[in-house]
Coordinates of all heavy atoms in Angstrom, one line a residue:
M21 N 96.4 163.6 94.8 CA 97.1 163.1 96.0 C 96.4 161.8 96.4 O 97.1 160.8 96.8 CB 97.0 164.1 97.1 CG 97.7 163.7 98.4 SD 99.5 163.6 98.1 CE 100.0 163.2 99.8
Q45 N 111.3 132.6 104.6 CA 112.4 131.7 104.1 C 113.7 132.1 104.6 O 114.6 131.2 104.7 CB 112.3 131.7 102.5 CG 111.1 131.0 101.9 CD 111.1 131.1 100.4 OE1 111.9 131.8 99.8 NE2 110.2 130.4 99.8
L66 N 130.3 92.0 118.8 CA 131.4 92.2 117.8 C 132.7 91.5 118.2 O 133.0 91.5 119.4 CB 131.7 93.7 117.6 CG 130.5 94.5 117.1 CD1 130.9 96.0 117.0 CD2 130.1 94.0 115.8
E82 N 159.6 61.7 111.4 CA 159.7 60.8 112.5 C 161.1 60.4 112.8 O 161.4 59.8 113.8 CB 158.8 59.6 112.3 CG 157.3 60.0 112.2 CD 156.4 58.8 111.9 OE1 156.0 58.2 112.9 OE2 156.1 58.5 110.8
D109 N 168.0 57.2 102.6 CA 167.7 55.9 103.2 C 168.8 54.9 103.1 O 168.6 53.7 103.4 CB 166.4 55.3 102.5 CG 166.6 55.2 101.0 OD1 167.7 55.5 100.5 OD2 165.6 54.8 100.4
E159 N 173.4 7.8 138.4 CA 174.2 8.9 137.9 C 174.1 9.1 136.4 O 174.0 10.2 135.9 CB 175.6 8.8 138.4 CG 176.5 9.9 138.1 CD 177.9 9.7 138.6 OE1 178.2 8.7 139.2 OE2 178.7 10.6 138.3
A177 N 165.6 29.6 124.0 CA 166.3 30.8 123.9 C 166.6 31.2 122.4 O 166.5 32.3 122.0 CB 167.7 30.7 124.7
A187 N 161.7 41.3 115.1 CA 161.2 42.6 115.6 C 162.2 43.7 115.2 O 161.7 44.8 114.8 CB 161.0 42.6 117.1
A188 N 163.5 43.4 115.3 CA 164.4 44.5 114.9 C 164.4 44.7 113.4 O 164.5 45.9 113.0 CB 165.8 44.0 115.3
S288 N 149.8 81.7 125.6 CA 150.4 81.8 124.3 C 149.4 82.1 123.2 O 149.7 83.0 122.4 CB 151.2 80.5 124.0 OG 150.3 79.4 123.9
R316 N 142.1 83.1 102.3 CA 143.3 82.3 102.7 C 143.4 82.2 104.2 O 143.0 83.1 104.9 CB 144.5 83.0 102.1 CG 144.6 83.1 100.6 CD 144.8 81.8 100.0 NE 145.0 81.9 98.5 CZ 144.0 81.9 97.7 NH1 142.8 81.7 98.1 NH2 144.2 82.0 96.4
N329 N 116.7 87.4 117.9 CA 115.9 87.4 116.6 C 114.5 87.9 116.9 O 113.5 87.1 116.8 CB 115.9 86.0 116.0 CG 115.4 86.1 114.6 OD1 115.4 87.1 113.9 ND2 114.8 85.0 114.1
R407 N 125.5 119.6 113.4 CA 125.7 120.9 114.0 C 124.4 121.7 114.1 O 124.2 122.5 115.0 CB 126.8 121.7 113.2 CG 126.4 121.9 111.8 CD 127.5 122.7 111.1 NE 127.2 122.9 109.7 CZ 126.4 123.8 109.2 NH1 125.9 124.7 110.1 NH2 126.2 124.0 107.9
D414 N 112.1 123.8 119.4 CA 110.7 123.5 119.0 C 110.1 124.6 118.2 O 110.4 125.8 118.4 CB 109.8 123.3 120.3 CG 108.5 122.6 120.0 OD1 108.4 121.9 118.9 OD2 107.6 122.7 120.8

Side-chain angles (χ1 to χ4, degrees):
M21 183 67 179
Q45 288 178 352
L66 298 179
E82 298 179 85
D109 59 1
E159 182 179 357
S288 61
R316 297 290 184 272
N329 190 23
R407 59 182 179 83
D414 196 20

